[in-house]
Amino acid sequence: MNELRIGDLCARIPVIQGGMGVGVSLSGLAGAVAASGGVGVISTAQIGYRDPDFHKNPIECNLKAVGEEIRKARAAADGGIIGVNIMVVTRRYEDYVKAAVAAGVDLIISGAGLPMNLPELAGDARIAPIVSSRKALHVISKHWKKKYDRKPDLVVVEGPLAGGHLGFAREDIEAYTVTNEKNYDDEVRAVIELADELGAPVVVAGGIYERRDLEHCLAMGAKGVQIATRFVTTRECDASDAYKQAYIDAKREDIVIVKSPVGMPGRAIHNAFLDKVSAGERFMRGCRQCITTCRPDTAPYCITEALINAVEGNLDEGLIFCGSNAYRADRIETVADIMEEFAQ
């Protein structure tokens, strides 16, 4: 059986559950994945949204919730590996990393920007940048070596088929996924080549859905995969039943690329909310201090509010982020069943 080794950590099954923000991957999902032999990951993006004080003090509620969710996941993990996903563009990024370290997290995965100062914040936690190109990994690893004498413990290479915010220009997404002018496997191999020189294992993310996807990535030299969308339609996922049903009901043509108010393209399920936004309606009702690139004075809607609405089941007022394979979901599964498929 292929294990995934991350420094002194070892996952029995080479699967990392991708971090899905604003309540989709919290302690329930992460704890179940870790207990089943993979790496369970909590997203810190607006993690404290359920706190009664969230709308007044969002960052403070989030920082408190980071520790609470890690501790709950740890209790359910049966000795498994618990990680967090922290976006570099998060306001007060450093404080989120410190909160996760204080709670004893095993692994910090960080993307949506280059995590240049992560080594000085991470303490004893293992660290993994998310990159979309060899160039990005070269910039990060060179800086980490020069300033901190540290290398990545793991590299996540995330392709254009991923869900949520994407680290690609819209034209590149089209070149990789529509016109097929570019083959992303070529970039994956280039990242693996550099990571091998650094002595860091690579996991591939974006569009990973079934066992044969893992086998394809292993054949390229990766050590594992990161899966997000497949875990949404599980009993253990922290999102509402209505959110999960939106995935099950979605057809292939419902999966669209949207322009996020924080300035990045994203992948989501088409719904009434997106129609309203396209028609020019504006839904900006205050700022929840999430992403540094957001401009509340001109944004068409608050992405935090839209994502909270979705995860709580108010779908007609919500943004339903998803990966390219969301339309393939046809039932509610269990985490254990999915992990067993990838363990065979």
Side-chain angles (χ1 to χ4, degrees):
M1 183 185 297
N2 295 291
E3 298 175 329
L4 174 61
R5 293 191 173 274
I6 309 167
D8 57 351
L9 305 173
C10 182
R12 178 173 56 86
I13 302 172
V15 168
I16 295 177
Q17 163 252 313
M20 296 172 280
V22 194
V24 180
S25 63
L26 298 175
S27 56
L29 178 56
V33 172
S36 295
V39 180
V41 177
I42 297 164
S43 169
T44 66
Q46 302 299 57
I47 189 173
Y49 77 97
R50 293 177 294 192
D51 192 299
D53 199 37
F54 177 76
H55 293 290
K56 290 183 179 179
N57 300 295
I59 295 179
E60 288 71 16
C61 292
N62 287 337
L63 293 175
K64 181 175 70 172
V66 168
E68 293 172 349
E69 291 295 324
I70 290 172
R71 284 186 284 273
K72 286 193 290 185
R74 179 76 69 203
D78 193 25
I81 302 169
I82 297 296
V84 289
N85 181 298
I86 308 176
M87 296 186 293
V88 176
V89 292
T90 302
R91 293 181 189 272
R92 288 175 54 183
Y93 168 77
E94 292 82 2
D95 290 333
Y96 284 83
V97 175
K98 291 175 183 177
V101 171
V105 78
D106 297 314
L107 172 68
I108 299 171
I109 299 172
S110 197
L114 304 183
M116 303 303 274
N117 64 337
L118 182 57
E120 72 180 82
L121 305 168
D124 294 331
R126 297 299 178 181
I127 52 177
I130 300 175
V131 300
S132 58
S133 68
R134 178 186 172 113
K135 180 180 178 181
L137 177 58
H138 175 73
V139 170
I140 294 167
S141 60
K142 183 178 179 180
H143 179 78
W144 284 11
K145 176 63 177 177
K146 181 178 180 180
K147 189 166 184 179
Y148 307 108
D149 193 26
R150 189 158 181 187
K151 65 178 181 65
D153 297 296
L154 173 78
V155 175
V156 179
V157 54
E158 186 170 275
L161 296 176
H165 288 125
L166 303 171
F168 298 86
R170 192 172 187 127
E171 55 267 26
D172 286 332
I173 296 171
E174 191 154 317
Y176 281 122
T177 63
V178 180
T179 64
N180 295 319
E181 295 171 28
K182 298 181 179 181
N183 183 346
Y184 195 68
D185 281 358
D186 294 338
E187 195 66 53
V188 171
R189 292 187 183 96
V191 170
I192 291 171
E193 181 183 41
L194 177 55
D196 283 349
E197 294 173 9
L198 298 171
V202 172
V203 299
V204 180
I208 309 299
Y209 199 81
E210 59 189 0
R211 170 75 193 196
R212 67 178 179 179
D213 299 323
L214 169 63
E215 292 169 351
H216 174 70
C217 294
L218 294 178
M220 287 193 291
K223 302 302 182 184
V225 291
Q226 178 175 285
I227 305 170
T229 290
R230 179 80 181 270
F231 284 116
V232 170
T233 49
T234 59
R235 293 178 191 168
E236 297 89 348
C237 177
D238 297 278
S240 67
D241 289 343
Y243 189 95
K244 299 172 188 181
Q245 191 62 43
Y247 276 53
I248 293 171
D249 292 341
K251 299 178 177 61
R252 188 168 194 161
E253 58 268 26
D254 295 327
I255 313 301
V256 296
I257 302 297
V258 300
K259 182 180 179 181
S260 165
V262 305
M264 293 180 275
R267 182 172 277 110
I269 296 175
H270 179 263
N271 65 347
F273 175 74
L274 290 177
D275 285 338
K276 294 173 188 176
V277 172
S278 296
E281 291 191 49
R282 192 164 187 260
F283 303 89
M284 197 65 198
R285 294 180 283 264
C287 176
R288 277 74 177 185
Q289 300 294 308
C290 61
I291 302 297
T292 58
T293 55
C294 184
R295 298 292 176 265
D297 54 332
T298 58
Y301 60 91
C302 170
I303 193 164
T304 290
E305 182 179 17
L307 292 172
I308 289 173
N309 285 343
V311 79
E312 290 184 336
N314 180 13
L315 302 183
D316 286 345
E317 299 296 330
L319 176 63
I320 312 167
F321 270 161
C322 69
S324 57
N325 285 308
Y327 71 94
R328 295 175 63 180
D330 59 6
R331 68 192 188 281
I332 298 297
E333 303 180 88
T334 67
V335 164
D337 287 342
I338 294 173
M339 297 300 288
E340 181 62 27
E341 174 187 333
F342 282 84
Q344 292 174 0

